[in-house]
Amino acid sequence: RDYVLSNNGVHVIGKSASFADAMRDEGFQQFLKTVEKTCPYERAEHLLQELGIEPGMPSSEDPASVETYAQQILSGEEWSRGVIDGRD
């Protein structure tokens, strides 16, 4: 949330105190549905592959790895290596 707001101070996520609160908010859910319509998963995956980035998903069993994965994507930390896998 903080990273998004540091790059876009008027982003809809700013209406919520945390990312978790945003995920519970009906307005934010509508925003996500709009994003999914304009850029469905398959399109996003294709764009990443065009950039030479192979996305991987961390285990949902480990909330810390999911958080780390999201932070790496949003910070661009993994982009320079060409791999986003959420695991070290």
Side-chain angles (χ1 to χ4, degrees), residues 18-38:
S18 68
F19 182 77
D21 288 343
M23 292 301 292
R24 291 185 209 98
D25 180 71
E26 187 176 323
F28 191 74
Q29 288 297 317
Q30 188 59 43
F31 166 75
L32 291 178
K33 287 178 186 176
T34 301
V35 170
E36 289 173 356
K37 285 180 185 176
T38 59

Side-chain angles (χ1 to χ4, degrees), residues 33-52:
K33 287 178 186 176
T34 301
V35 170
E36 289 173 356
K37 285 180 185 176
T38 59
C39 188
Y41 177 82
E42 292 80 10
R43 175 72 178 137
E45 185 177 50
H46 175 74
L47 291 171
L48 288 173
Q49 289 173 347
E50 282 185 344
L51 292 170

Side-chain angles (χ1 to χ4, degrees), residues 3-82:
Y3 181 79
V4 171
L5 292 174
S6 71
N7 288 286
N8 181 354
V10 296
H11 193 280
V12 68
I13 200 166
K15 294 179 181 179
S16 301
S18 68
F19 182 77
D21 288 343
M23 292 301 292
R24 291 185 209 98
D25 180 71
E26 187 176 323
F28 191 74
Q29 288 297 317
Q30 188 59 43
F31 166 75
L32 291 178
K33 287 178 186 176
T34 301
V35 170
E36 289 173 356
K37 285 180 185 176
T38 59
C39 188
Y41 177 82
E42 292 80 10
R43 175 72 178 137
E45 185 177 50
H46 175 74
L47 291 171
L48 288 173
Q49 289 173 347
E50 282 185 344
L51 292 170
I53 299 169
E54 290 297 326
M57 291 299 294
S59 168
S60 61
E61 312 250 327
D62 181 4
S65 69
V66 173
E67 180 180 344
T68 300
Y69 175 75
Q71 288 175 342
Q72 288 173 338
I73 290 173
L74 292 172
S75 70
E77 182 179 315
E78 296 297 310
W79 298 99
S80 61
R81 291 193 342 215

